[in-house]
Amino acid sequence: VTNGRALLAHVNPERASSLSAEAEKAFLLDLKIRQRRLRLEAEFIELGRDLATMRDRELYHLLNFDTFEAWLASPELSFSRRTAYGLIAASDVCNRLHITPEAAGAIGWARLEILRPQPSWRVQEVRRTGCTMPQRFLEETCGRRSARWASRHR
């Protein structure tokens, strides 16, 4: 998409005619950021799958690491255990429900991680509703609180 006015004219014709050049740039940049976010989320799911493979097949031993966690903490990766296992959990949901990384991008890996222990109908419901449920509400609905929430409410 290179013409913000044309795209906006399709969505909101009245607003398109009054769109300034600067507003058009803002609109296009917003669109570009949203598209990149979706691609990034899809990459996170692929990363989770790769991390699971490394862990499950114990391939880190071939790289001279005693544990998966030691490999994660290596300076080149510097993954926290929490982040790595969150990505793995999100990819597990995708594998279980046959969700493509592209479709998972719309849901987001953090939401997928929350949904991992949930029955498949709940995940499908989130997917069906356009993934618009705020993450905090999703955590409450699923009976799970974020670590950030827990640390504030001790």
Side-chain angles (χ1 to χ4, degrees):
V1 174
T2 57
N3 186 336
R5 266 182 237 275
L7 183 60
L8 192 56
H10 178 68
V11 177
N12 188 341
E14 293 135 16
R15 188 156 173 243
S17 62
S18 65
L19 192 63
S20 70
E22 194 63 22
E24 184 175 356
K25 287 179 188 175
F27 180 80
L28 289 174
L29 184 58
D30 175 72
L31 182 63
K32 187 177 181 181
I33 289 168
R34 289 171 190 271
Q35 290 170 339
R36 284 188 174 168
R37 184 195 156 274
L38 287 174
R39 285 194 308 268
L40 184 60
E41 290 286 350
E43 283 295 317
F44 280 140
I45 299 305
E46 292 292 340
L47 180 58
R49 286 181 179 162
D50 293 344
L51 288 167
T53 300
M54 181 65 83
R55 180 199 62 194
D56 297 345
R57 294 185 184 168
E58 298 183 350
L59 298 174
Y60 51 85
H61 288 303
L62 299 172
L63 303 172
N64 294 324
F65 289 95
D66 293 332
T67 64
F68 179 64
E69 287 74 15
W71 174 74
L72 288 173
S74 66
E76 297 84 10
L77 289 178
S78 192
F79 271 113
S80 72
R81 186 178 193 283
R82 165 85 179 92
T83 298
Y85 279 91
L87 291 167
I88 291 170
S91 72
D92 286 349
V93 171
C94 292
N95 290 339
R96 181 168 49 105
L97 299 176
H98 309 289
I99 299 172
T100 65
E102 294 74 26
I107 299 171
W109 77 270
R111 285 186 178 92
L112 285 166
E113 178 194 5
I114 294 165
L115 291 166
R116 182 180 187 201
Q118 301 301 315
S120 60
W121 65 265
R122 188 179 301 254
V123 180
Q124 296 298 354
E125 183 178 312
V126 170
R127 196 171 168 194
R128 184 182 50 76
T129 60
C131 315
T132 57
M133 186 183 300
Q135 187 170 329
R136 179 179 291 160
F137 181 75
L138 183 62
E139 290 170 341
E140 291 170 4
T141 302
C142 294
R144 177 171 162 217
R145 303 288 186 176
S146 68
R148 196 167 106 197
W149 184 92
S151 68
R152 287 190 210 156
H153 296 90
R154 287 185 183 169

